[in-house]
């Protein structure tokens, strides 16, 4: 991110000084840094908290963000006169280049239409906030916490929000989802109740560690509001062992284990499967996948304390959430006991996500993290752990999250005939550019992610610009991981040269993992009635600007 | 096999009694059961040795193999007169329906042209012996050891072999391969020196456990001829531990561990890759894969005795064979120490294959067996084991057996850029019918195998008859395996109905493993310069008889 920002600003500066050398007069109004917005997740997880943003400030100061104000000579629109008042609705309607692009900060309203193309982080990042508040984005990108940025923004002020619009709307009490937390507005919502949302592609691969507010959210039920002081985790003891009722403090006493793990929903990229034939499920695009640093007690340590050990017969560790439907049925899932007890499999009862207590949407106060395994087994708001001779009887273990042949439809599906999804297959997707976008000729950067289940490392990502006739190998970013424990994704990028005569690009990516498993070429032969396991080559079509 | 044999004979009997009801007169000449042929591997591994062939005899007696002699009324060609003499060359030329089909047993020559279609095991099985001796096949199919079969065969006698042709030709002493063992003639030879051969598809999936003589053979060098009494395995000790020099008896003292494991060469199905673009390597078809019961000492136990334990830094267990090239360089390979020390990974120093000492071609007296991992790491004729901080420096570890992008060719390949192949991806192939074959309309059986690396179980095989438009799910045969330890293949079959109007079938199979990895649709995007990891959908074209 630093490098990209640096490049954008340097290019902007060159451009600025080539076209105009007189700096614009700065508007002197300062505005408060203590605004009323309280982001749900207060600190910047990817930089280790608010205290470590010094590096960003230095960078910001060095670059001065001068490109923008050197280039533009805006009149100061924020005058000392009575400000013009706007409704939230009016602001919301200004979210395109046609209508103009407005944003808010605190109670102030800004028209940043002319600034969008100069945004050092790229126009698309700023567009995420178009028609709404800046705070959720600034809370994540601490570089904005500088006087330079505030001075720059002040030039674009056009007025203020109506006082009655400057509060969060209250939610109805009869709604079982009324107590759900407030989410980051950048998330693309697939379903409000239960809440299911993914980060937009251009944010997804901006950070190797996904900031908590951008982490994709997959809820099956309303989010429980649990009191950490009275929270107890029930662990059913083995015959001859003892059952445990663990408070958070009890859990903290187990050795703390911290690992970087990518979670992916079985339905990630389902929208591509829908294009073959309708399926039942949320229309996830490429964003139902995210990566975090998780910390907690190892499940094997907790199970050992309850007297459990590996047995010769097959057994399963069943998890129950504290979320429940109106009949009181909780979310549930299970994993094989062998995985749960294997210290090398690093299954966690996690209470921290990127150095913070788990956000409510991600299972506060405790969730299961099963590295290399489908998201559906990472049970959130964990209430109970037991060892059983059979898999969990939960709907989501036995009647969902299973793969079938393309020939199986709802009239003949036998859910018992197929094993529950545990480890996921190799996966990759392009996040930049996006399908249907127009790119310039010359140097183009293609970016994306790649991951595989079961701790298998991604060893190569091939990219084609010509629909699969020829391939280039992308550069892999992100942490090197230990053999058999590659729990986290690799981000990748490829710089390509698009010649002037090129009219379009048919871009494809495909990944290979260290078992040399590859992605299938096409979607139709892996189509299944639930639209899970959608891991065919990711294909996008891009126009080239003439 | 029993069931298939049963069906073939029952169908034959029905046919026989419908068309002709007078049994033929039996020729009374008995021929010796003690012929001069000594098969290299004397006993029937898949039935637990010669003593357990009683079941087959009963079956043979019950069925009486009467179909054939009920149908045909052969003149007894083997008279008491001086027999006509033939050279081996003459016999060898009679191996097609056009030339006639001759076989030998001991010194006797038989023209079985008219019997081929009546063979209870199917014409294709008998055709494997066309132009050569029956003994190697009879040694494997004990059902032939009955007086009924001998009487039947005697009817087809046409003469004897020239005495000078009735011996094995002696091999030159200057040839480094002169001391290689004699192989089963059914094997399809890809290279004589070093010897590389695969079983024909129709034999490959005839047995869940591959009989030793039919197990595919992949040699890189001449086969060493080792004395079991003086054989020693060198195990380099850990710092502070002790080096070991283990005799076979020493190895026998470790707990004996026995598992069923499928081995596959990285080059299996390379011939399909060659059709895309030339590669370097042996032209394996679908048969560079086989399954055996392996028994031996666990590598983790032997390493522990030498003082080795898991360390935080990455390490590798290096193996050296006792086969070597003219410069004295031995075959070598390595696997990660973590796998070697994991008791659940079940890595063996194997001294038994299907209840027998290892055949020479398969590593006598000791080879490594690394379940779920590419054949190239299962070092044969094992001489030395050591633990190193780096992978083996062997050519075959570092300059071979690696995968590359289709865009990488010999002029730009960087072998260091790609990890050595360890676990293999999901694989499947059709063994019956075969590409280009003609099948009848009505019920057709499609058969094949499916396997995946890393202990991942095959959970489904999809079969298409229409080039991939629609799919049916095949029935899986073979042992259920323990989770995460599915080291062996599944055989599969599907009965389909081919309607009368059908002209051709484009049959495809594709497998899914329990991590829901699938095979890629096509070969070109996984093409690589060494032609390894060829696991695209297996496609065959079959004609339907009008």
């Amino acid at each position: 991110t630093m490098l990209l920002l640096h490049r954008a600003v340097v290019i902007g500066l060159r451009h600025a000084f080539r076209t105009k050398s007189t700096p614009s007069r700065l508007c002197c109004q300062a505005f408060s840094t203590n605004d009323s917005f309280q982001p749900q997740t207060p600190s910047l997880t990817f930089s280790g908290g608010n205290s470590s943003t010094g590096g960003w400030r230095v960078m910001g100061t060095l670059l001065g963000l001068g490109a923008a104000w050197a280039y533009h000579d805006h009149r100061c629109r924020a005058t000392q006169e009575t400000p013009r008042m706007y409704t939230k609705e009016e602001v919301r309607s200004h979210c395109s280049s046609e209508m103009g692009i407005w944003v808010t900060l605190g109670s102030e309203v800004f028209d940043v239409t002319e600034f969008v193309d100069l945004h050092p982080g790229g126009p698309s990042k700023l567009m995420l906030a178009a028609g709404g508040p800046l705070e959720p984005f600034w809370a994540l990108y601490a570089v904005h916490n500088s006087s330079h940025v505030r001075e720059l923004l002040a030039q674009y002020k056009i007025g203020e929000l109506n006082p009655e619009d400057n509060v969060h709307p209250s939610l109805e009490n009869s709604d079982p989802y009324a107590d759900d937390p407030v989410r980051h507005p950048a998330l693309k919502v697939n379903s409000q109740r239960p809440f299911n949302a993914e980060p937009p592609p251009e944010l997804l691969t901006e950070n190797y560690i996904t900031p908590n507010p951008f982490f994709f959210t997959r809820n099956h039920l309303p989010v429980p509001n649990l009191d950490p002081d009275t929270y107890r985790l029930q662990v059913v003891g083995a015959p001859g062992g003892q059952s445990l009722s663990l408070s958070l403090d009890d859990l903290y006493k187990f050795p703390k284990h911290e690992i970087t793990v990518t979670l992916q929903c079985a339905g990630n990229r389902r929208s591509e499967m829908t294009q073959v034939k309708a399926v039942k499920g949320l229309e996830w695009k490429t964003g139902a996948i995210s990566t975090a640093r998780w910390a907690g007690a190892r499940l094997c340590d907790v199970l050992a304390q309850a007297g459990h050990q590996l047995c010769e017969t097959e057994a399963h560790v069943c998890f129950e959430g504290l979320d429940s439907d109106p009949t009181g049925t909780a979310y549930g899932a299970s994993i094989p006991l062998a995985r749960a007890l294997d210290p090398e499999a690093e299954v966690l009862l996690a209470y921290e996500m990127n150095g913070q207590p788990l956000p409510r949407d991600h299972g506060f106060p405790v969730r299961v993290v099963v590295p290399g395994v489908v998201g559906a087994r990472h049970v959130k708001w964990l209430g109970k752990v037991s060892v059983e001779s059979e898999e969990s009887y939960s709907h989501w273990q036995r009647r969902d999250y299973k793969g079938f042949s393309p020939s199986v439809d709802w009239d003949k599906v036998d859910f018992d005939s197929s094993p529950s999804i545990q480890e996921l297959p190799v996966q990759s997707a392009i996040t930049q550019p996006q399908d249907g976008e127009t790119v310039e000729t010359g140097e183009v950067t293609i970016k994306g992610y790649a991951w595989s289940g079961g701790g298998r490392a991604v060893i190569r990502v091939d990219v084609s610009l010509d629909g699969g006739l020829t391939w280039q190998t992308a550069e892999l970013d992100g942490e090197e991981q230990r053999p058999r424990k590659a729990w986290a994704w690799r981000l990748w990028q490829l710089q390509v040269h698009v010649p002037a005569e090129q009219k379009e690009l048919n871009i494809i990516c495909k990944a290979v993992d260290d078992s040399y498993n590859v992605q299938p070429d096409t979607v139709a032969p892996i189509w299944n009635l639930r639209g899970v396991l959608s891991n065919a080559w990711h294909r996008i079509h891009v126009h080239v600007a003439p």
Side-chain angles (χ1 to χ4, degrees), chain A:
Chain A
T1 308
M2 291 281 274
L3 279 175
L4 285 177
L5 178 66
H6 180 92
R7 192 169 57 232
V9 172
V10 166
I11 291 166
L13 279 168
R14 278 202 209 110
H15 191 184
F17 288 108
R18 196 162 54 235
T19 54
K20 193 161 213 171
S21 57
T22 319
S24 63
R25 184 176 56 86
L26 287 179
C27 183
C28 53
Q29 180 185 340
F31 51 72
S32 168
T33 55
N34 297 317
D35 55 66
S36 61
F37 182 84
Q38 292 297 331
Q40 187 64 17
T41 305
S43 72
L44 294 177
T45 51
F46 64 90
S47 61
N50 282 327
S51 62
S52 67
T53 54
W56 289 98
R57 286 217 189 83
V58 170
M59 185 75 176
T61 307
L62 281 173
L63 298 174
L65 289 168
W69 48 263
Y71 183 54
H72 273 266
D73 189 8
H74 278 281
R75 293 190 317 278
C76 181
R77 300 182 193 183
T79 65
Q80 306 300 339
E81 307 154 26
T82 314
R84 181 156 169 203
M85 305 304 283
Y86 298 98
T87 64
K88 247 185 173 167
E89 203 54 50
E90 281 175 288
V91 172
R92 200 173 297 136
S93 69
H94 289 81
C95 59
S96 64
S97 45
E98 293 77 33
M99 291 294 294
I101 295 149
W102 294 6
V103 293
T104 64
L105 189 75
S107 63
E108 298 179 300
V109 180
F110 307 88
D111 177 355
V112 294
T113 314
E114 293 177 62
F115 176 72
V116 168
D117 284 338
L118 301 167
H119 184 241
S124 67
K125 297 290 188 316
L126 180 47
M127 283 304 290
L128 292 169
L134 287 172
E135 285 88 342
F137 301 91
W138 283 25
L140 284 156
Y141 295 103
V143 67
H144 296 91
N145 291 332
S146 82
S147 54
H148 285 293
V149 177
R150 281 178 232 119
E151 287 162 4
L152 174 65
L153 184 68
Q155 299 177 71
Y156 298 98
K157 181 166 176 181
I158 55 171
E160 304 226 332
L161 274 179
N162 280 342
E164 61 269 33
D165 272 348
N166 194 16
V167 290
H168 288 126
S170 66
L171 296 161
E172 274 187 67
N173 276 338
S174 64
D175 177 1
Y177 292 93
D179 196 28
D180 264 21
V182 177
R183 280 86 181 204
H184 198 283
L187 292 176
K188 303 288 181 189
V189 178
N190 293 321
S191 146
Q192 274 291 356
R193 300 164 186 216
F195 187 76
N196 288 283
E198 62 188 297
E202 64 271 28
L203 285 186
L204 184 59
T205 50
E206 193 69 7
N207 302 286
Y208 177 70
I209 300 294
T210 315
N212 288 357
F214 291 166
F215 204 98
F216 85 96
T217 302
R218 172 67 178 113
N219 293 344
H220 296 82
L221 297 163
V223 177
N225 204 343
L226 303 172
D227 178 354
D229 296 328
T230 58
Y231 170 81
R232 293 292 181 278
L233 173 62
Q234 307 304 324
V235 182
V236 179
Q242 58 167 351
S243 290
L244 312 173
S245 176
L246 302 172
S247 68
L248 276 178
D249 279 338
D250 294 333
L251 266 179
Y252 297 153
K253 285 175 196 144
F254 288 90
K256 183 175 177 178
H257 196 72
E258 186 165 11
I259 44 177
T260 305
V261 178
T262 295
L263 264 65
Q264 184 183 212
C265 178
N268 192 27
R269 299 180 60 202
R270 178 179 286 129
S271 54
E272 292 162 66
M273 223 166 238
T274 308
Q275 286 166 28
V276 172
K277 189 178 151 194
V279 299
K280 283 193 188 166
L282 298 163
E283 284 290 291
W284 296 108
K285 294 191 166 51
T286 54
I289 183 169
S290 301
T291 301
R293 288 287 290 172
W294 303 94
R298 292 196 308 182
L299 177 59
C300 60
D301 294 339
V302 174
L303 287 176
Q305 183 158 322
H308 294 288
Q309 50 194 21
L310 210 52
C311 47
E312 270 307 296
T313 56
E314 213 180 326
H316 303 266
V317 179
C318 298
F319 307 115
E320 247 182 62
L322 293 165
D323 50 341
S324 62
D325 68 13
T327 72
T329 306
Y331 185 82
S334 62
I335 62 170
L337 180 63
R339 183 181 294 275
L341 287 181
D342 182 359
E344 300 296 310
E346 301 187 277
V347 183
L348 294 188
L349 303 180
Y351 45 72
E352 272 184 25
M353 181 178 181
N354 294 329
Q356 301 293 320
L358 297 185
R360 282 183 61 208
D361 259 336
H362 298 290
F364 181 82
V366 176
R367 80 175 301 171
V368 187
V369 171
V370 195
V373 161
V374 64
R377 315 300 168 213
H378 300 231
V379 175
K380 301 195 274 194
W381 314 291
L382 186 66
K384 186 179 166 191
V385 176
S386 62
V387 177
E388 314 282 353
S389 60
E390 302 251 14
E391 282 190 290
S392 165
Y393 278 88
S394 156
H395 168 86
W396 294 279
Q397 187 77 18
R398 298 196 169 223
R399 294 292 172 268
D400 200 350
Y401 296 117
K402 294 185 169 193
F404 295 95
S405 148
S407 63
V408 172
D409 222 323
W410 287 101
D411 55 351
K412 55 178 170 182
V413 63
D414 170 13
F415 270 95
D416 293 326
S417 70
S418 193
S420 61
I421 301 171
Q422 296 282 342
E423 292 184 1
L424 285 172
V426 59
Q427 173 70 288
S428 73
I430 302 158
T431 57
Q432 178 190 313
Q434 290 174 47
D435 192 37
E437 200 176 302
T438 300
V439 298
E440 308 283 330
T441 56
E443 297 303 309
V444 170
T445 302
I446 304 169
K447 289 174 67 172
Y449 63 78
W451 180 74
S452 189
R456 291 179 284 280
V458 167
I459 60 166
R460 201 180 76 234
V461 174
D462 298 329
V463 177
S464 175
L465 305 181
D466 54 14
L469 295 178
T470 61
W471 299 91
Q472 300 178 59
T473 300
E475 183 191 328
L476 298 182
D477 301 326
E479 290 170 8
E480 277 291 332
Q481 298 176 78
R482 284 194 294 165
R484 303 170 91 187
K485 295 186 185 185
W487 310 128
W489 63 12
R490 301 298 292 268
L491 302 184
W492 56 264
Q493 56 179 312
L494 179 70
Q495 312 285 337
V496 297
H497 181 81
V498 178
E501 65 275 16
Q502 193 89 28
K503 295 275 176 293
E504 57 173 9
L505 300 173
N506 286 301
I507 310 181
I508 301 178
C509 74
K510 63 181 176 83
V512 185
D513 73 19
D514 63 8
S515 294
Y516 281 97
N517 274 300
V518 298
Q519 299 177 244
D521 310 19
T522 59
V523 182
I526 57 166
W527 183 96
N528 60 82
L529 75 184
R530 273 294 274 118
V532 290
L533 304 157
S534 183
N535 75 327
W537 298 356
H538 189 218
R539 299 164 189 260
I540 64 166
H541 178 259
V542 164
H543 307 277
V544 180

